[in-house]
Amino acid sequence: MTDELPDEHPDGLPELRASDADREQVAEVLRDAVAEGRLDMEEFEERLEATYKARTYKELAPITRDLPAPGVTPPPVPTVSMVKQPAGAGGWAGRIVGGDGSSRWGVAVLGGFERKGRWTMPKRFNSFAFWGGGVIDLREANFADGEVVVNCVAIMGGMSVIVPPGVEVLVRGIGVMGGFDHREEGVQGDPGAPRVVVTGFAFWGGVGVERKVTKAERLRQKEERRLEKLERKAARQEELEESRRRALEGSGSGDLGHRDSLDDARSIHRAAMEQHRELMREHREARREERRDRRDDRRDRD
């Protein structure tokens, strides 16, 4: 009787099991790809789910076959940056691109307008809303200058200015029976990050200023928190197993061993109770995070 051998690749190499580190390396490639716009969110979520379900290298390999390898930058194309660098690590300089901007005006009369996604914010963007509303979303935008002005005029209407973390915000608008949101002022910007000045006039209307991360970044942060929880759970489980092992070793060592075993049993009970409480805390936190994600998704759609 012969042992059953694992399946082989066409090249003759044995099929090997993938480790958690292998799956995490693939997940990192996927996170980079969605940040660079190579994958949309639906593709990212599908591939990420397949990554964590994969058991072998053969199942992992197709997931990133059409994506650049880690650390490899695609060939440069003139005037277009192919790689989106993270903010605070030299990426802001790549997002201040000069020029006139891709859109200078936004008008909403009994309706609405929206500027979001990949666009270039000019040195001055003028917006007007009358019985309507507008959204100026700068989270994925490039900037024509290190200081840009968003001029908002809202008459019985509203404007929403959304900026990414790391950007300094100054609010200089005037409100008459209306107002401008000043909550994001006073937050120091990252080195090299642009400054956004929100100015204008609101009459029976309002201009809101909000600092938010992109959906891709929010998903990446959620994944990081999930991995941290798994690490804490593994550490607690290891501590519990060690206490059980000590209790079993001491059970056959006489009266002194019996007392030690009782102490270890109490430690095991305390550790198990603490693990249960921690799991309940994580469950409550997961439910709060799920509600927060649904709320953020609805706001992104709106």
Side-chain angles (χ1 to χ4, degrees):
M1 182 175 180
T2 60
D3 294 335
E4 184 178 347
L5 295 176
D7 296 335
E8 294 190 349
H9 285 297
D11 58 7
L13 294 177
E15 180 68 34
L16 298 179
R17 291 275 179 167
S19 67
D20 289 339
D22 297 324
R23 284 184 280 270
E24 180 56 27
Q25 185 176 2
V26 173
E28 185 65 27
V29 174
L30 295 177
R31 285 192 286 269
D32 289 342
V34 75
E36 295 165 6
R38 303 181 191 278
L39 297 176
D40 59 29
M41 291 307 302
E42 184 176 354
E43 290 176 307
F44 172 72
E45 291 170 357
E46 289 176 356
R47 295 195 190 198
L48 190 64
E49 182 179 1
T51 297
Y52 287 112
K53 287 183 178 179
R55 293 176 298 173
T56 64
Y57 286 119
K58 184 177 181 179
E59 294 171 336
L60 281 177
I63 296 175
T64 57
R65 185 168 291 160
D66 58 346
L67 299 173
V72 175
T73 302
V77 177
T79 72
V80 177
S81 175
M82 295 295 291
V83 179
K84 180 180 178 183
Q85 300 293 335
W92 286 118
R95 293 180 64 178
I96 301 176
V97 297
D100 297 328
S102 56
S103 178
R104 292 188 169 202
W105 280 89
V107 178
V109 178
L110 301 177
F113 75 87
E114 194 174 66
R115 299 291 183 273
K116 64 186 298 185
R118 299 297 182 104
W119 66 294
T120 300
M121 169 70 189
K123 293 183 180 180
R124 183 180 181 88
F125 182 87
N126 294 301
S127 58
F128 175 78
F130 175 73
W131 280 16
V135 176
I136 302 103
D137 189 339
L138 303 176
R139 288 177 292 176
E140 297 181 73
N142 291 325
F143 297 82
D145 195 67
E147 179 171 304
V148 296
V149 176
V150 182
N151 183 51
C152 302
V153 178
I155 310 298
M156 292 181 286
M159 299 280 188
S160 178
V161 180
I162 305 174
V163 300
V167 169
E168 183 183 359
V169 176
L170 298 177
V171 180
R172 297 291 183 265
I174 299 173
V176 176
M177 290 184 287
F180 279 72
D181 190 350
H182 290 260
R183 287 177 299 176
E184 298 299 340
E185 278 194 304
V187 179
Q188 187 173 3
D190 291 340
R195 173 186 294 172
V196 177
V197 181
V198 181
T199 186
F201 177 74
F203 176 73
W204 279 14
V207 177
V209 182
E210 189 175 8
R211 193 183 304 271
K212 289 174 59 177
V213 298
T214 62
K215 185 174 182 180
E217 177 63 16
R218 190 168 70 242
L219 191 61
R220 186 192 67 78
Q221 292 174 357
K222 182 179 179 180
E223 182 66 17
E224 285 184 352
R225 290 193 295 269
R226 189 188 72 83
L227 292 175
E228 289 174 0
K229 290 177 184 177
L230 288 176
E231 290 175 359
R232 290 198 301 269
K233 183 177 179 180
R236 289 195 304 268
Q237 189 65 30
E238 185 178 348
E239 181 180 353
L240 192 60
E241 292 297 331
E242 178 64 21
S243 298
R244 288 173 179 163
R245 185 187 62 77
R246 289 199 304 268
L248 290 174
E249 289 177 351
S251 60
S253 304
D255 293 339
L256 181 60
H258 179 67
R259 287 194 295 272
D260 289 341
S261 296
L262 287 176
D263 291 339
D264 286 337
R266 295 189 187 99
S267 298
I268 291 172
H269 177 71
R270 286 194 297 270
M273 293 301 296
E274 178 60 31
Q275 186 176 36
H276 174 71
R277 285 192 291 269
E278 180 66 21
L279 288 173
M280 293 300 295
R281 283 195 295 268
E282 290 180 358
H283 177 67
R284 289 193 296 270
E285 181 182 342
R287 293 189 63 183
R288 286 195 297 269
E289 185 174 295
E290 184 179 351
R291 289 195 296 269
R292 187 166 56 247
D293 287 343
R294 286 200 300 266
R295 185 175 62 249
D296 290 338
D297 288 341
R298 285 196 300 269
R299 292 168 67 181
D300 286 341
R301 288 194 299 268
D302 296 339

